Amino acid sequence: MRKILDVISEPLMEAFQEAGYDAALGKAVLSNRPDLCEYQCNGSMAGAKQYRKAPFVIAAEVEEKLRARADFGDVFEEVSVVKPGFINIKVKGVFVAKYLAGMMEEEKLGVEKPAAPKRILIDYGGPNVAKPLHVGHLRSAIIGESLKRLGRFVGHEVIGDVHLGDWGLQMGLIITELRERKPELPYFDESYEGAYPEEAPFTISELEEIYPTASARSKEDEAYKERAMEATGELQRGRRGYQALLRHILDVSVTDLKRNYQRLDVSFDLWKGESDADPYIPDMVRMMREKGYAYESDGALVVDVKEESDTKEIPPCMILKSDGAALYTTTDLATLVWRMKDYHPDEVLYVVDKRQELHFIQVFRCARKTGIVGEDTKLTFLGFGTMNGRDGKPFKTREGGVMRLESLIDGINEEMYRKIVENHETDKEEARQTAQVVGLSAIKYGDLSNQASKDYIFDTDRFTSFEGNTGPYILYTIVRIKSILNRYKDGGGDADACGMRDGGAATKPLMLELARFNEVMENAFEEKAPHKVCAYIYNLANEFNHFYHETKILGEEDPQKREGYIALLVLTRRVLESCIHVLGFSAPERM
Ligand code: ARG
């Protein structure tokens, strides 16, 4: 479906042309003076320079052509030229109603499939195995999931990859600590040739305790650290027992990670990790050497990636350490090798903490320079800011430790539960379930309503409030609509059979807001900006609630008018639900 702005622009553009001006000047935009008009056209101002004429004169000529059109009255309610040359526009209610009726016919409410859908791979989540998910991983999961859903909604093929941190020293540390504790296990016996046990020699809670213990010990005990580095090297060189341990670590960890991500309603198509890149490293390194991109510097293997236009120093990209070990850059580059080979994506989008920006500049440049990624594939880094506590410092537990994601979710759900039972009497079990659904909206909306690149303050009180720019407020609005629609149904009405109609001044602002839907969604994806979807539904919810407070809906006596209201409710609900789906949460039946 065409954007409503394009539909309104068409007669304006033709009028500009008929008056002897460039048609492109006739583009209409949303009004920046909603007190005066709904849309406006500023083309006369741009045309003034081009045609050396006063903008007011141009606007008046265009207005005349516009008024002379046979379809003028179908679209425009009011057109006026104001100094210095703006064309202010109000459109007919029936015109908007017709547009909305068209939206209702479509599954995606007027969002059209792109002419050339893209295949986009999103790298998000990025948890590290054997470490519990903590709040530092929350933003990547929330933002990445939302972009995945948004991309799919607007018609692209989107593949989500979790890109586990499962390579490098952390693995060596776990292996070393395990060896200290249980040296008798067959994994450590190099002469062992039999099959390894199916069952992992640890549980998830043991694993989560082993890693921090090992990490702390390696900082004090040099020899221990040496052993861990040696184990890392042996693992990377393919030592059988260690590979088997890695698989155990992955199994146990991934099961737990999946459970955690499920609580966030976040899911991945691919559960690949850094370790999956390992088989591609030798050939990649050989290619970089042979083609002369990589050279030795202080024993390490590096590729220069600085460019003349750089304003700050971009150090060379490290490919191998002097001991031959792979680095974070190495696995990211080799990951691109298999991503290109297996998926040929049009774009690879990384949703990662913005403090890793330099790393991605190096990786992207190196991948392009060495031909791993060709010109047809876009590489995008979406760096997000830090989630801070109310003191403005990175979010911590009350004791000052890193907060586990689970505890954060539990805390929010508890607060939500308290509010729900305080609000009205409900069944305890139902209230618990509702608290989970609403709690998720509080967390996700609290995050997504901020521009991703900015830091934000995680404020439980504000995020869980039923009022203001919050997830629960949006859900409250949806629940309100559902309840009116249920009452309508109980009274024998068929909401889906109701036709959209112009409801006059009471419905106009809500209708105009609804009509923006396709434009907002496409633009939000274009700019990778879920916060624009949030801003939109906040406005929409406000317009709906305003309408609700001003209007008798079910009590309206004129049946046709009442049906028009119901149709409007049906559409508002569909638009809001499509948006929250894209943001990654859903609405309960009651709250
Ligand atoms: N595991 C990393 C971390 O915790 C994030 C991974 C981001 N993705 C990537 N391809 N490097 O910092």
Side-chain angles (χ1 to χ4, degrees):
M1 227 175 128
R2 283 203 299 167
K3 316 260 157 52
I4 191 154
L5 277 174
D6 293 338
V7 182
I8 296 167
S9 297
E10 191 179 283
L12 275 158
M13 292 171 79
E14 285 174 9
F16 266 84
Q17 196 163 30
E18 277 174 45
Y21 304 107
D22 185 358
L25 294 170
K27 281 233 173 288
V29 293
L30 274 187
S31 161
N32 55 21
R33 286 292 304 275
D35 52 325
L36 296 180
C37 57
E38 295 157 356
Y39 301 94
Q40 64 188 59
C41 172
N42 309 332
S44 312
M45 253 73 73
K49 285 181 215 104
Q50 206 177 326
Y51 297 99
R52 296 167 183 275
K53 246 191 199 176
F56 195 78
V57 176
I58 299 179
E61 288 170 20
V62 171
E63 188 199 2
E64 198 187 308
K65 296 287 179 204
L66 199 61
R67 285 190 190 280
R69 294 174 63 94
D71 62 358
F72 180 83
D74 299 340
V75 182
F76 301 99
E77 166 128 343
E78 226 180 278
V79 170
S80 56
V81 172
V82 297
K83 291 224 152 97
F86 296 110
I87 304 176
N88 285 354
I89 298 160
K90 279 190 182 162
V91 293
K92 280 257 161 75
V94 271
F95 163 78
V96 191
K98 234 189 185 158
Y99 186 84
L100 299 185
M103 279 173 73
M104 296 194 68
E105 294 294 308
E106 296 190 17
E107 194 205 319
K108 296 232 167 132
L109 306 166
V111 172
E112 243 165 72
K113 212 174 166 65
K118 289 190 193 146
R119 174 179 289 174
I120 302 165
L121 196 148
I122 309 191
D123 178 314
Y124 70 109
N128 299 312
V129 300
K131 290 192 216 172
L133 269 189
H134 60 83
V135 295
H137 290 110
L138 184 65
R139 298 211 70 192
S140 180
I142 292 179
I143 300 167
E145 177 74 15
S146 167
L147 289 171
K148 180 186 79 179
R149 294 176 181 215
L150 185 54
R152 286 183 183 160
F153 191 87
V154 302
H156 298 290
E157 182 194 348
V158 189
I159 304 159
D161 181 11
V162 71
H163 199 73
L164 295 170
D166 60 358
W167 210 225
L169 187 59
Q170 52 174 335
M171 293 297 131
L173 284 167
I174 296 167
I175 293 172
T176 304
E177 182 59 27
L178 210 61
R179 185 175 193 154
E180 309 268 314
R181 296 185 189 188
K182 301 179 183 172
E184 69 286 357
L185 290 175
Y187 309 95
F188 305 112
D189 175 2
E190 270 187 286
S191 61
Y192 183 77
E193 281 177 358
Y196 294 108
E198 300 241 320
E199 186 106 356
F202 41 71
T203 64
I204 183 67
S205 21
E206 281 170 304
L207 196 55
E208 285 178 352
E209 174 267 316
I210 289 175
Y211 176 72
T213 309
S215 173
R217 200 166 151 195
S218 74
K219 288 188 186 111
E220 280 152 20
D221 183 341
E222 204 37 52
Y224 183 88
K225 188 171 177 193
E226 290 283 316
R227 290 203 292 283
M229 277 161 52
E230 178 53 27
T232 311
E234 284 182 282
L235 169 70
Q236 296 192 349
R237 285 190 294 275
R239 180 165 161 175
R240 220 179 126 250
Y242 291 2
Q243 292 277 342
L245 273 179
L246 172 68
R247 271 190 301 280
H248 284 313
I249 299 172
L250 278 174
D251 283 348
V252 171
S253 244
V254 167
T255 310
D256 186 62
L257 286 170
K258 283 191 175 160
R259 187 181 58 78
N260 269 284
Y261 280 122
Q262 200 179 353
R263 288 192 72 188
L264 283 175
D265 203 357
V266 166
S267 66
F268 301 91
D269 306 292
L270 301 177
W271 278 85
K272 300 274 193 182
E274 293 170 355
S275 66
D276 288 292
D278 184 60
Y280 297 92
I281 294 176
D283 280 353
M284 180 182 83
V285 172
R286 191 171 318 123
M287 175 279 283
M288 288 179 178
R289 279 190 210 269
E290 276 171 13
K291 294 199 177 157
Y293 296 122
Y295 65 93
E296 310 268 339
S297 166
D298 292 332
L301 191 70
V302 302
V303 172
D304 279 330
V305 290
K306 61 171 187 287
E307 286 171 6
E308 249 169 57
S309 55
D310 288 344
T311 49
K312 62 172 187 225
E313 162 106 26
I314 306 290
C317 186
M318 282 257 258
I319 307 297
L320 292 178
K321 284 205 285 198
S322 47
D323 63 0
L327 297 108
Y328 189 39
T329 36
T330 325
T331 51
D332 260 327
L333 284 162
T335 298
L336 277 168
V337 172
W338 69 251
R339 284 182 177 164
M340 293 305 291
K341 180 173 81 63
D342 295 349
Y343 293 93
H344 312 287
D346 297 296
E347 180 171 0
V348 185
L349 168 65
Y350 295 81
V351 184
V352 185
D353 192 313
K354 72 177 174 199
R355 286 169 291 191
Q356 294 192 22
E357 184 173 16
L358 178 61
H359 165 80
F360 283 99
I361 292 177
Q362 293 176 307
V363 168
F364 291 179
R365 285 186 183 182
C366 185
R368 293 239 182 258
K369 180 174 180 178
T370 58
I372 293 173
V373 174
E375 266 169 35
D376 296 341
T377 301
K378 207 169 139 189
L379 296 173
T380 315
F381 172 65
L382 185 80
F384 52 81
T386 309
M387 177 175 130
N388 289 322
R390 272 160 84 167
D391 56 359
K393 300 203 188 93
F395 200 88
K396 290 264 151 64
T397 58
R398 221 168 284 171
E399 294 73 35
V402 188
M403 185 181 272
R404 292 174 76 120
L405 198 56
E406 288 195 273
S407 320
L408 180 95
I409 301 175
D410 290 343
I412 285 277
N413 289 355
E414 209 40 60
E415 182 59 20
M416 245 24 275
Y417 176 76
R418 207 183 55 72
K419 287 200 171 156
I420 289 167
V421 290
E422 186 185 275
N423 254 4
H424 53 91
E425 259 184 44
T426 42
D427 173 67
K428 288 241 152 52
E429 187 45 35
E430 186 188 328
R432 283 269 168 227
Q433 274 171 12
T434 308
Q436 274 178 30
V437 176
V438 186
L440 190 60
S441 83
I443 297 177
K444 287 192 165 182
Y445 191 94
D447 188 308
L448 293 169
S449 54
N450 302 285
Q451 202 176 318
S453 62
K454 299 221 167 101
D455 297 350
Y456 77 95
I457 291 182
F458 192 94
D459 182 339
T460 305
D461 286 346
R462 194 168 73 75
F463 288 4
T464 57
S465 170
F466 285 20
E467 278 152 44
N469 191 5
T470 70
Y473 168 68
I474 303 293
L475 296 191
Y476 199 79
T477 307
I478 297 176
V479 166
R480 170 172 278 164
I481 299 176
K482 285 189 184 180
S483 120
I484 303 170
L485 292 175
N486 281 338
R487 267 184 286 146
Y488 185 69
K489 194 171 152 211
D490 293 343
D494 178 2
D496 294 324
C498 291
M500 188 66 73
R501 61 202 301 285
D502 173 24
T507 57
K508 192 77 172 288
L510 175 59
M511 292 174 99
L512 289 172
E513 202 58 34
L514 285 167
R516 293 178 55 213
F517 177 69
N518 54 5
E519 164 120 43
V520 169
M521 295 302 252
E522 284 171 30
N523 176 260
F525 184 68
E526 205 53 51
E527 298 188 7
K528 314 261 165 29
H531 73 276
K532 295 202 162 177
V533 178
C534 293
Y536 173 65
I537 52 174
Y538 181 50
N539 278 337
L540 188 62
N542 283 337
E543 292 300 0
F544 172 77
N545 286 312
H546 188 76
F547 161 73
Y548 168 82
H549 289 300
E550 300 287 299
T551 323
K552 275 202 198 117
I553 300 173
L554 295 177
E556 170 57 50
E557 273 160 26
D558 176 345
Q560 287 207 324
K561 243 181 158 177
R562 189 171 58 231
E563 284 190 9
Y565 291 162
I566 295 296
L568 199 55
L569 260 62
V570 170
L571 182 61
T572 306
R573 171 184 167 175
R574 279 179 67 190
V575 167
L576 286 172
E577 285 188 328
S578 300
C579 289
I580 64 169
H581 170 74
V582 151
L583 296 174
F585 53 91
S586 56
E589 282 313 306
R590 273 185 296 226
M591 65 189 267

